[in-house]
Amino acid sequence: MSRIQWRVRELPKTISQTIRFRWQYGKQCIRSLTYNHHMNQSYASDVCMEPIFWFVDNFTHLLGPVMCTFGIAYSVICLTTAVVTICYWIGLPYWWNRNRYMTVFLMIVGHWLLLNVVYNFYKAASVSPGYPPEVEQSKDPHNQLYVY
């Protein structure tokens, strides 16, 4: 008759060895299937960017109108608001305590630039693209007058 020996005390060790072996075996399989001798950071970033390139290549005709209407307007408005907020919040008290005449000068120049940005954004958003300006011919061929 044979005798049965229970190895209950060795069971946790056997389970952990089995799990460790399976984990290392899986890692080795993944590494052997994806190994590339020429792998570097540039190649990895190219591989990660490939889905973005595919999306842009295949959906550019849809992205154009969306970006023109929402993306540019949102980014210009948000960036301009952020710059003006930072200038008033940080720049104005700093320059006011340092030199008040410089503050007045910077406020005038800053508001002039802000008006230029707002005006140019409005004109870029409201003017229909694709039509060249009409030219009135003057008597002198070197002097042409552009009428908008």
Side-chain angles (χ1 to χ4, degrees), residues 65-76:
V66 170
M67 293 304 276
C68 284
T69 54
F70 298 116
I72 294 174
Y74 181 73
S75 64
V76 168

Side-chain angles (χ1 to χ4, degrees), residues 9-145:
R9 292 184 182 167
E10 295 178 8
L11 187 62
K13 183 178 179 183
T14 307
I15 290 174
S16 68
Q17 286 177 348
T18 305
I19 291 173
R20 187 177 300 122
F21 173 75
R22 299 281 175 147
W23 176 255
Q24 289 174 351
Y25 182 77
K27 274 193 341 187
Q28 186 66 28
C29 285
I30 296 285
R31 286 180 180 168
S32 67
L33 290 173
T34 59
Y35 177 76
N36 186 353
H37 180 70
H38 304 290
M39 180 68 164
N40 59 14
Q41 187 175 8
S42 177
Y43 181 72
S45 64
D46 283 348
V47 169
C48 292
M49 295 289 280
E50 189 64 33
I52 297 170
F53 295 147
W54 177 84
F55 182 80
V56 170
D57 287 343
N58 290 319
F59 296 105
T60 303
H61 64 282
L62 297 174
L63 289 175
V66 170
M67 293 304 276
C68 284
T69 54
F70 298 116
I72 294 174
Y74 181 73
S75 64
V76 168
I77 291 169
C78 287
L79 288 174
T80 306
T81 303
V83 167
V84 170
T85 303
I86 290 169
C87 287
Y88 274 107
W89 187 22
I90 296 172
L92 185 61
Y94 172 77
W95 283 104
W96 187 257
N97 291 331
R98 190 161 181 194
N99 186 351
R100 294 182 186 208
Y101 297 113
M102 182 63 94
T103 305
V104 172
F105 173 73
L106 289 174
M107 292 297 288
I108 292 170
V109 171
H111 283 92
W112 178 69
L113 290 172
L114 178 63
L115 287 174
N116 279 319
V117 168
V118 170
Y119 172 77
N120 286 315
F121 177 68
Y122 170 73
K123 287 306 246 183
S126 64
V127 172
S128 177
Y131 299 106
E134 297 175 14
V135 178
E136 280 185 19
Q137 294 291 336
S138 65
K139 294 179 182 178
D140 184 14
H142 299 290
N143 185 13
Q144 294 181 348
L145 177 66

